């Protein structure tokens, strides 16, 4: 079992940290930063000064010490223009992750009418692509860095999304949607790591609020789908030709174009800096220092952090440098993936327990949500038909209503995760429990409006649940292995997401069985959150 490094060494390392605390100062004479050298600005009024999430010891003490130095430098620079721009461009990843997985449900009815196939196969193709993307981009961004993955994922999703609108057959459509998933699958693992690498510890709660982009993606795609599919779709599967069923194609063309536009903003307008903690983790301390200075300059400040200060932990603990700290170029002959990144997430019993719980939670929620969400428009339509109001217009009107509900949920989640005694774990557990409860309640609906009402409650609390889940995982994983950790959790979600359509192929979706399964899984996953050994509230990720 790992033991924390000796107190004497820790003291010498923290002295290097303290050297940096008074050396970062704003250019402006009107700065509100405290003149006291050991006082951190931008302290969260609720949680107080942030502390290291791994303050009781970490398996790589040299990396931990360097991460603390960089964290203090970023904290002293504060929340500025760069981080707010980053909030927007990383939000594009949440947007895409919402739009494209939801798409298989939005276009399901008209596509089935035109191509005459078993509906769940489209969701299966999408989830296979998402699975490949989560593995490739999540694990890969710990090898070649964040910038390559950050710019490539949206481009792939946009190009193949645009082309899929012209698919001549179901096989072609499924193949193209799977390729869209390869791009989209990497968005959350990479983008959450990117944002957390630059946001000050006092503002980490913004990672939870980033889920508002997920809600906006739901809303926009539903608003676009409503008139297009309702007005340009076949009424039934009989005599359904391409010319009479262009609505879903128009939707794909539109969303593909929007995704490409978001990629263009990322690539041509915003310049992403490489993660300083990632650079330090691969032995490129000088480059990490350069990034800190660029960040400070962009925010209108200056930083006096030096290479000597960042290398102090190497001198304090000779021989304790981890293999990940060996200098290499981002793309080089030794830029290959090995199991070291995975082993690092299980380096101590506490970390192993935490990583295992996160993977289990993502898998269970991934199965439950995919089983229910991908077939929600179908469920509303089929049950609405029983009530006599199952038209496409009403179905997509309801989808828009459900999408609007998620926006305030994201803001509430950002507030709740900072509450004392509740934090991330408590918010996740409560939101998961209420999400499951509302799923169970939908089985009692006897009118279409009752069903819509219960689903409003489900969507509200599930958006809180997802907002916290998407944030707590990257907050717990160390930056040098964060892409791998995010990749593992996303992979678990996508693996079980692949199983959901398979279950749907053999289940009767006209019954409440999928709802009971989904509700039970979500509630169980919420209870697992309470067992997590780390609570990121009031702590700084390393």
């Amino acid at each position: 079992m790992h033991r924390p490094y000796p107190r004497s060494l820790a003291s010498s390392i923290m002295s290097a940290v303290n050297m940096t605390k008074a050396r970062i100062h704003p250019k402006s004479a009107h700065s509100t930063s405290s003149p006291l050298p050991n006082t951190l600005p931008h302290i969260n009024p609720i949680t107080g000064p942030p502390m290291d999430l791994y303050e009781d010891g970490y398996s790589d003490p040299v990396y931990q010490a360097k991460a603390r130095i960089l964290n203090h430098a970023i904290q002293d620079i504060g929340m500025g223009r760069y981080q707010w721009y980053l909030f927007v461009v990383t939000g594009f990843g949440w947007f895409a992750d919402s739009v494209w997985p939801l798409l298989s449900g939005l276009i399901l009815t008209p596509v089935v009418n035109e191509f005459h196939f078993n509906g769940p196969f489209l969701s299966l193709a999408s989830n296979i692509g998402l699975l490949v993307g989560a593995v490739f981009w999540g694990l890969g961004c710990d090898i070649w860095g964040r910038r390559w993955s950050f710019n490539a994922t949206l481009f792939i999703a946009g190009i193949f999304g645009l082309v899929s609108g012209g698919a001549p057959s179901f096989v072609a459509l499924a193949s193209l949607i799977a390729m869209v998933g390869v791009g989209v699958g990497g968005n959350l693992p990479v983008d959450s790591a990117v944002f957390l690498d630059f946001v000050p510890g006092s503002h980490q709660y913004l990672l939870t609020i980033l889920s508002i982009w997920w809600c906006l993606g739901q809303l926009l795609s539903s608003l676009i789908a409503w008139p297009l599919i309702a007005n340009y779709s076949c009424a039934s599967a009989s005599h359904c030709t391409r010319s009479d069923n262009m609505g879903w194609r128009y939707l794909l063309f539109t969303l593909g174009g929007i995704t490409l536009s978001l990629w263009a903003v990322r690539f041509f307008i915003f310049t992403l800096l490489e993660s300083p903690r990632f650079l330090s983790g691969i032995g490129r301390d000088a480059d990490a220092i350069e990034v800190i200075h660029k960040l400070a300059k962009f925010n209108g400040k200056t930083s006096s952090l030096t290479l000597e200060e960042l290398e102090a932990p190497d001198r304090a603990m000779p021989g304790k440098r981890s293999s990940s700290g060996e200098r290499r170029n981002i793309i080089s002959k030794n830029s290959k993936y090995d199991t070291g990144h995975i082993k690092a997430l299980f380096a101590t019993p506490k970390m192993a327990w935490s990583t295992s719980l996160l993977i289990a939670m993502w898998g269970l929620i991934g199965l439950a949500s995919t089983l229910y969400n991908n077939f929600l428009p179908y469920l509303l339509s089929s049950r609405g038909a029983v009530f006599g109001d199952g038209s496409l217009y009403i179905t997509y009107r309801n989808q828009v209503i459900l999408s609007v509900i998620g926006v305030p949920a994201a803001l509430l989640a950002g507030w709740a995760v900072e509450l004392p005694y509740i934090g991330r774990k408590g918010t996740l557990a409560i939101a998961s429990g209420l999400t499951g409860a509302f799923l169970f309640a939908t089985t009692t609906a006897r009118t279409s409006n009752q069903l819509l009402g219960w689903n409003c409650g489900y969507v509200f609390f599930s958006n809180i649940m997802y907002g916290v889940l998407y944030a707590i995982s990257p907050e717990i994983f160390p930056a040098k292995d964060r892409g791998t950790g995010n990749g593992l959790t996303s992979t678990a979600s996508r693996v079980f997401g692949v199983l959901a359509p398979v279950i749907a192929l053999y289940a009767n979706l006209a019954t409440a069985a999928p709802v009971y399964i989904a509700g039970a899984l979500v509630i169980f996953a919420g209870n697992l959150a309470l067992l997590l050994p780390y609570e990121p509230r009031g702590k700084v990720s390393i």
Side-chain angles (χ1 to χ4, degrees), residues 120-372:
F121 280 115
L122 183 61
S123 177
L124 180 62
S126 175
N127 279 282
I128 289 175
L130 291 169
L131 169 61
V132 173
V135 175
F136 181 77
W137 298 111
L139 276 61
C141 75
D142 280 339
I143 307 172
W144 51 67
R146 318 304 197 218
R147 295 178 64 184
W148 289 69
S149 303
F150 184 75
N151 286 315
T153 50
L154 277 185
F155 179 76
I156 293 172
I159 286 291
F160 283 99
L162 198 62
V163 174
S164 62
S169 65
F170 167 70
V171 173
L173 176 63
S175 301
L176 291 168
I177 289 295
M179 288 305 302
V180 171
V182 172
V184 172
N187 276 308
L188 285 185
V190 175
D191 294 2
S192 60
V194 165
F195 185 74
L196 204 54
D197 283 337
F198 287 99
V199 70
S202 57
H203 289 72
Q204 282 184 191
Y205 68 91
L206 290 173
L207 186 60
T208 301
I209 298 180
L210 264 173
S211 64
I212 197 170
W213 287 94
W214 204 82
C215 306
L216 292 175
Q218 281 186 319
L219 177 59
L220 181 63
S221 57
S222 298
L223 282 172
I224 297 172
W226 184 3
L228 290 179
I229 294 185
N231 295 318
Y232 299 97
S233 296
C234 298
S236 65
S238 59
H239 306 292
C240 184
T241 63
R242 174 171 177 158
S243 59
D244 295 330
N245 199 43
M246 290 295 293
W248 68 269
R249 297 180 186 273
Y250 294 150
L251 178 61
L252 285 169
F253 291 145
T254 304
L255 295 178
I258 291 173
T259 304
L260 272 181
S261 299
L262 298 180
W263 165 79
V265 172
R266 278 188 176 185
F267 190 78
F268 294 109
I269 298 178
F270 181 81
T271 300
L272 179 69
L273 300 173
E274 188 55 83
S275 162
R277 281 178 287 191
F278 167 77
L279 290 171
S280 182
I282 62 173
R284 299 180 60 177
D285 290 338
D287 293 330
I289 293 294
E290 182 181 356
V291 169
I292 291 295
H293 285 278
K294 287 181 178 179
L295 173 63
K297 183 178 180 180
F298 196 95
N299 283 357
K301 299 184 179 182
T302 58
S303 170
S304 297
L305 182 64
T306 66
L307 180 60
E308 181 183 4
E309 291 166 346
L310 187 56
E311 290 179 342
D314 289 315
R315 296 188 296 272
M317 291 183 289
K320 289 185 175 288
R321 190 182 185 92
S322 66
S323 58
S324 64
E326 296 174 359
R327 179 180 172 83
R328 63 174 172 84
N329 293 324
I330 293 179
I331 299 295
S332 62
K333 291 182 179 180
N334 60 342
S335 294
K336 58 187 179 183
Y337 194 86
D338 56 40
T339 58
H341 289 287
I342 296 177
K343 290 178 180 178
L345 299 173
F346 296 86
T348 67
K350 187 175 181 180
M351 292 181 66
W353 175 240
S354 175
T355 303
S356 299
L357 284 176
L358 288 171
I359 291 174
M361 289 162 54
W362 275 75
L364 293 172
I365 292 177
L367 175 59
S369 63
T370 307
L371 185 63
Y372 189 76

Side-chain angles (χ1 to χ4, degrees), residues 5 13 60-67 313-314 317-322:
Y5 47 87
I13 291 169
D60 188 342
V62 172
Y63 168 78
Q64 182 181 25
K66 291 186 176 184
D314 289 315
M317 291 183 289
K320 289 185 175 288
R321 190 182 185 92
S322 66

